[in-house]
Amino acid sequence: DVQLVESGGGSVQAGESLRLSCVVTGYTANFYCMGWFRQAVGQEREAVAAVYRVGGSAFYADSVKGRFTFSQDNAQKTLYLQMDSLKPEDTAMYYCAAECAPDEAGGFRYWGQGTQVTVSS
């Protein structure tokens, strides 16, 4: 079975940084089309950063451009989300996702359980 396990969340002050990791196991397809999403309490899930094709540039939500950086280690099947200059509005549960699937909810087939990020002012 494919499993995605996030880590690295926590509680920080505004302006600080966090690095989220997502280890993907049981996945044998080409390691592309991956992404990070977040969902704040009472809000819909939104895409934060994603890569949709081999060699493609990362997509970033306007709200995180210049502050967040998506990367992946294909050999280790691990995704990362470096989050700098965090703001209170970045507070949310963060999820990693794998394998583009337009017919699936959120557009990805596999999802992690999430890691909480809380930013206080």
Side-chain angles (χ1 to χ4, degrees):
D1 291 348
V2 177
Q3 289 190 325
L4 285 70
V5 179
E6 303 97 334
S7 62
S11 297
V12 297
Q13 298 286 321
E16 294 184 342
S17 299
L18 283 173
R19 189 193 195 202
L20 305 184
S21 299
C22 172
V23 177
V24 183
T25 59
Y27 190 75
T28 59
N30 292 329
F31 199 63
Y32 71 99
C33 200
M34 307 287 176
W36 288 94
F37 289 71
R38 68 185 180 187
Q39 187 168 20
V41 174
Q43 298 185 21
E44 294 187 356
R45 182 173 53 192
E46 64 170 342
V48 175
V51 173
Y52 293 102
R53 58 184 177 87
V54 176
S57 299
F59 154 85
Y60 292 98
D62 288 342
S63 58
V64 306
K65 281 181 181 176
R67 301 188 298 120
F68 289 14
T69 304
F70 174 96
S71 62
Q72 59 187 81
D73 183 330
N74 293 339
Q76 298 298 320
K77 293 287 195 289
T78 303
L79 311 178
Y80 301 99
L81 185 67
Q82 176 67 41
M83 305 187 296
D84 298 321
S85 302
L86 283 161
K87 303 176 180 180
E89 50 264 44
D90 294 319
T91 295
M93 184 72 79
Y94 283 71
Y95 301 89
C96 61
E99 190 169 305
C100 287
D103 295 338
E104 299 282 347
F108 283 79
R109 189 176 314 280
Y110 303 108
W111 295 84
Q113 293 300 306
T115 185
Q116 178 68 38
V117 172
T118 303
V119 185
S120 56
S121 57

